[in-house]
Amino acid sequence: MSCAVTAIVLSISLALFTDALYYIPKATLASVVISAMLFMPDYEEIGNIWRTKKLDMIPFLATALACLFYELDYGILVGIGINCCILLYLISSPGLSAEEMQLAGLSVLLVKVDQSLAFSSAECLRDWILKRVDQRDNIELVVIDGQNIHFADTTVAKNFVSIEEDLRIRRMRLMLWRFESKVAFAFLRMRKELFITLLRADVLLQDAVARWKHLNYQVTWDSSGVLRGVTVIGGGGLRTC
């Protein structure tokens, strides 16, 4: 109701007293605007932003300063631009963690990703994995846990192909575990003959590794029960160890 009264009074003033207001000095009008603006900011909310996430203060301060010293519309655009840059940085830098373990007779490096992947974040994942495996000589299988990956496009699938190829050069293998069906189908549409050997959906990691090993490793014995060799199947074809 108060807003309606204010709007009516303002409309009447503009319609009837415009000529009189013309002679009021601009400094006086500016002081009225400044006095009204002093009570508009929510200072308590600014404190909440500072306590909750200090990074959000960057677009806030940039917007406020740009609006104060330049123009309102450009100030808003500055704030939007800075916020978009922050979002792009966060998307491009996924949270990654790795855990080394022994499963089904294999030395496994389990890599966990905390968000969906875009092109830049997939590149970050690839570089991060290669850096970790280069620091460890005993890794045989790298497992990427895709439980938190809800979206992937063509560029992400290509990056996973590159990861598999880079690991194969290092005589390591790749397994993709717990990826959602829509993400898995996107990978299969990219390169079915490769990803069909990499994807596993078992509930337990130990079962997934055991099944993957059964499908990808062929052990041969001679008639006396002596191990003759292990043939790695899939990916780039056959390789006998």
Side-chain angles (χ1 to χ4, degrees):
M1 185 64 182
S2 60
C3 294
V5 173
T6 302
I8 293 172
V9 173
L10 182 60
S11 300
I12 294 174
S13 300
L14 292 175
L16 302 178
F17 304 109
T18 304
D19 294 337
L21 295 176
Y22 177 79
Y23 297 99
I24 298 177
K26 291 184 178 180
T28 304
L29 295 175
S31 64
V32 173
V33 173
I34 292 173
S35 300
M37 290 289 293
L38 288 176
F39 301 97
M40 291 186 66
D42 190 345
Y43 298 103
E44 183 178 354
E45 186 62 27
I46 296 174
N48 291 333
I49 294 174
W50 175 260
R51 288 189 296 270
T52 304
K53 190 176 181 182
K54 295 179 175 60
L55 184 63
D56 290 338
M57 292 296 294
I58 296 176
F60 168 74
L61 292 175
T63 303
L65 293 175
C67 292
L68 182 62
F69 294 104
Y70 199 52
E71 295 183 11
L72 181 62
D73 48 352
Y74 288 110
I76 295 174
L77 290 176
V78 167
I80 293 173
I82 293 177
N83 203 44
C84 288
C85 291
I86 293 174
L87 291 176
L88 288 174
Y89 172 76
L90 295 176
I91 293 173
S92 302
S93 304
L96 302 171
S97 62
E99 180 181 356
E100 190 173 346
M101 59 187 70
Q102 291 288 331
L103 293 173
L106 297 175
S107 180
V108 178
L109 182 68
L110 175 62
V111 178
K112 295 184 178 181
V113 187
D114 68 351
Q115 66 180 41
S116 297
L117 297 175
F119 170 74
S120 54
S121 54
E123 286 282 353
C124 177
L125 172 64
R126 175 173 172 266
D127 295 339
W128 191 88
I129 290 176
L130 296 180
K131 182 179 179 180
R132 292 301 182 280
V133 298
D134 287 340
Q135 296 172 351
R136 299 172 172 87
D137 298 329
N138 60 330
I139 298 297
E140 299 175 87
L141 176 65
V142 175
V143 178
I144 299 178
D145 185 357
Q147 184 180 21
N148 297 321
I149 301 176
H150 307 295
F151 169 81
D153 56 11
T154 304
T155 55
V156 174
K158 289 181 178 179
N159 270 281
F160 274 90
V161 173
S162 298
I163 292 173
E164 195 277 335
E165 293 173 349
D166 291 333
L167 291 176
R168 187 155 21 97
I169 292 173
R170 293 165 171 80
R171 303 185 69 83
M172 301 175 186
R173 302 301 304 278
L174 175 67
M175 187 183 82
L176 307 180
W177 178 48
R178 295 198 301 184
F179 279 72
E180 290 188 2
S181 57
K182 60 181 180 181
V183 178
F185 287 146
F187 290 167
L188 291 172
R189 286 192 292 269
M190 165 61 67
R191 192 169 166 183
K192 182 178 180 180
E193 70 279 2
L194 171 64
F195 284 106
I196 200 169
T197 64
L198 304 182
L199 291 162
R200 299 301 311 169
D202 303 76
V203 176
L204 299 178
L205 178 58
Q206 184 173 359
D207 295 339
V209 173
R211 291 177 182 273
W212 180 91
K213 182 180 179 181
H214 176 73
L215 293 173
N216 290 274
Y217 281 75
Q218 179 180 340
V219 181
T220 56
W221 308 82
D222 61 14
S223 57
S224 60
V226 178
L227 177 65
R228 296 181 58 186
V230 178
T231 302
V232 182
I233 308 171
L238 302 178
R239 186 176 77 244
T240 302
C241 306

